[in-house]
Amino acid sequence: MSMQYDYDLIVLGGGSGGLAAAFRAAQHGCRVAMLEPGELGGTCVNVGCVPKKAMWLAADLSGRIGLAAALGFDVPTRAALDWKELVVHRQAYIANIHASYLKRLNENGVVRVPRKGRLVDAHTVECSDGIRISGAHILIATGAHPQRPDIPGAELGKVSDDFFHLCSAPGQVAIVGGGYIAVELAGLLQALGSRVTLLVRGDRLLERFDAELTAQLAENLCHQGVKVHFNYRLRELRRDGDAVVAYGHDGPSDGHFDEVFFATGRRGNSAGLGLEALGIEVGDKGEVEVDEWQTTAVPSVHAVGDIAGKVGLTPVAIAAARKLMDRLFGGQPHAKMDYENVASVVFSHPALGAVGLSEEEARARFDDVRVYRSNFRPMLQALANGSQRSLFKLVCAGPEERVVGVHLLGEGADEILQGFAVAVKMGATKSCFDDTVAIHPTSAEEVVLMR
């Protein structure tokens, strides 16, 4: 590596993408510095995937206890949760991740600088304490943050980060939004004791997912007790004593809530990085503009993860960072991230997963599309007289019926989807599954794949 600079790589941000890049570059023998003023792990570990999954598991247990009671077990229909005790276990788990990351950084010789950084030129970063360091390459991996809508009283609402500061379930909760964060928070809070109202601006949930699956998800949420209002345009929030009142454009007061959460999008953490002065373009949502190789208009400056505005998923950030490091330092000049057919999971109740094209996208792209589906109540739901339904869709295109999309709403969707994701990437056809996948009846209802 060149000794012209202090480091071969300077990483701004210690989230999933930044850590993956630092570890892979160090494995290639690079001198690496990482600037991160906060806790290691970024959004995913601290206010995202990890604590969310912990709360999701608790909510799932709550639902299963209710099913057990319906089946005759001597347990309460709705078991009380010591929320503070759950938070203690959750944060202890996260602390172990922090310690593990720090240990790996030390073992790999990565220098951690607990400061913010600002680009001075194509190879120089100024730390927030005024010290400057230079690097052959600079990676921006500063992530994104949730944003509030520009409406009167927006300061009265909270964002998804604030959910993890709760120590008890609020009584009445409004969640503004219809994306995956809104859906996940709605299911979690409803299962853990809140009464949730979901205020959705559009006419459906999860616009990037298959419409039939999201319609079934909306029905499931309603059966769980969540009130879902579509085509709702929030005008303002006002304080009324201890409550927050939501007002829509199409009517008077729409409800008094103990808490209102905004799940109305995220914005890249690009402010204050000095990008514009270097000619690096920043998009409308604060994302750093990069090419298909994760490189900005300045050849030595790159970006991965949420800040790059591609696919905002932790595994994608990790994969993109590793590909970039392999290209820059690993002798693999053609290594780049493939953003096609990326598997995505929403931790609703039950989970929803998808890979490839939705039915709508497939019909817009191909002339010959066939869809196979199975919609049923899982056996446990049927036995306990539950109302939750699962849905499985296989979207095929062309005379050979190549599988171009797989969509799952049901228990274990996050795990089952992985195998289908590989099959879709390899160009599998429906015939590949005909003799290997047996769809067994799992309830009193018939379960078959049918057109």
Side-chain angles (χ1 to χ4, degrees):
M1 301 296 174
S2 172
M3 300 303 292
Q4 180 180 356
Y5 305 103
D6 299 325
Y7 298 95
D8 301 303
L9 175 69
I10 299 174
V11 181
L12 303 185
S16 299
L19 286 164
F23 293 140
R24 182 59 64 93
Q27 290 169 4
H28 288 312
C30 296
R31 297 164 299 144
V32 182
M34 170 180 285
L35 277 67
E36 173 51 71
E39 296 283 9
L40 294 173
T43 296
C44 178
V45 170
N46 298 293
V47 287
C49 322
V50 174
K52 180 270 301 289
K53 187 64 180 293
M55 304 306 286
W56 184 88
L57 289 170
D60 185 58
L61 281 175
S62 177
R64 289 181 180 276
I65 291 171
L67 290 173
L71 286 176
F73 284 89
D74 186 15
V75 293
T77 302
R78 195 175 188 91
L81 169 67
D82 187 334
W83 193 299
K84 292 182 180 179
E85 183 69 16
L86 173 61
V87 170
V88 168
H89 288 282
R90 184 189 76 197
Q91 296 308 117
Y93 183 84
I94 292 173
N96 287 336
I97 297 176
H98 292 157
S100 176
Y101 278 143
L102 186 58
K103 180 181 178 183
R104 288 186 62 192
L105 289 174
N106 292 334
E107 290 174 347
N108 283 275
V110 176
V111 177
R112 185 197 175 193
V113 182
R115 299 285 187 274
K116 290 184 177 180
R118 179 182 66 86
L119 277 68
V120 177
D121 58 40
H123 296 281
T124 306
V125 172
E126 182 177 84
C127 303
S128 54
D129 59 3
I131 295 176
R132 295 188 175 187
I133 57 178
S134 62
H137 291 273
I138 298 171
L139 175 65
I140 302 170
T142 49
H145 63 276
Q147 58 183 359
R148 289 177 169 84
D150 185 16
I151 61 170
E155 72 281 357
L156 299 176
K158 295 182 176 180
V159 294
S160 56
D161 290 3
D162 299 316
F163 168 75
F164 300 107
H165 298 150
L166 294 177
C167 292
S168 62
Q172 296 282 350
V173 178
I175 300 173
V176 183
Y180 77 94
I181 293 177
V183 167
E184 291 178 344
L185 287 182
L188 290 173
L189 284 165
Q190 184 71 30
L192 295 179
S194 297
R195 295 175 296 283
V196 177
T197 299
L198 196 54
L199 305 176
V200 186
R201 185 179 182 86
D203 58 5
R204 54 167 291 190
L205 301 174
L206 301 169
E207 292 184 354
R208 297 181 182 179
F209 287 81
D210 185 272
E212 188 175 2
L213 250 74
T214 62
Q216 183 60 65
L217 173 62
E219 183 179 322
N220 284 357
L221 284 171
C222 290
H223 284 304
Q224 291 165 23
V226 176
K227 298 178 181 178
V228 183
H229 296 295
F230 291 110
N231 299 306
Y232 182 95
R233 296 183 302 144
L234 181 64
R235 186 179 78 243
E236 66 176 309
L237 298 179
R238 295 181 188 174
R239 174 71 69 184
D240 182 10
D242 293 332
V244 177
V245 188
Y247 293 86
H249 280 277
D250 304 318
S253 170
D254 294 287
H256 287 63
F257 303 99
D258 298 299
E259 297 287 1
V260 174
F261 285 92
F262 292 118
T264 50
R266 297 175 65 81
R267 184 172 182 83
N269 295 324
S270 55
L273 294 180
L275 303 178
E276 292 82 358
L278 273 67
I280 297 175
E281 296 185 15
V282 177
D284 294 338
K285 295 182 179 180
E287 74 277 16
V288 177
E289 300 286 348
V290 295
D291 61 18
E292 59 182 340
W293 303 94
Q294 306 293 150
T295 300
T296 70
V298 177
S300 59
V301 180
H302 319 273
V304 298
D306 289 354
I307 189 67
K310 298 288 187 181
V311 179
L313 297 171
T314 296
V316 172
I318 293 171
R322 290 171 176 169
K323 292 282 188 181
L324 176 61
M325 296 302 105
D326 290 343
R327 179 171 71 84
L328 296 178
F329 306 115
Q332 301 179 38
H334 302 295
K336 67 176 181 179
M337 182 63 190
D338 178 12
Y339 289 100
E340 290 291 323
N341 296 322
V342 173
S344 182
V345 175
V346 179
F347 282 94
S348 50
H349 294 273
L352 182 151
V355 61
L357 304 177
S358 67
E359 180 179 347
E360 299 90 340
E361 291 170 333
R363 294 194 184 282
R365 186 178 300 188
F366 302 104
D367 293 330
D368 185 7
V369 174
R370 296 181 183 180
V371 178
Y372 300 86
R373 59 174 57 79
S374 179
N375 189 316
F376 59 95
R377 281 192 305 167
M379 187 174 186
L380 183 55
Q381 288 286 333
L383 287 173
N385 292 319
S387 56
Q388 301 298 294
R389 300 190 69 84
S390 294
L391 177 60
F392 169 50
K393 289 184 70 173
L394 205 63
V395 181
C396 305
E400 74 282 8
E401 292 194 302
R402 181 169 62 89
V403 179
V404 296
V406 178
H407 308 273
L408 303 168
L409 174 64
E411 185 174 335
D414 53 325
E415 298 174 354
I416 297 171
L417 188 66
Q418 299 307 312
F420 281 109
V422 173
V424 172
K425 280 184 173 290
M426 294 180 66
T429 63
K430 179 182 177 292
S431 63
C432 295
F433 301 102
D434 288 344
D435 298 326
T436 58
V437 177
I439 304 297
H440 296 287
T442 58
S443 74
E445 304 171 23
E446 184 181 11
V447 183
V448 293
L449 281 176
M450 56 186 177
R451 294 181 186 175

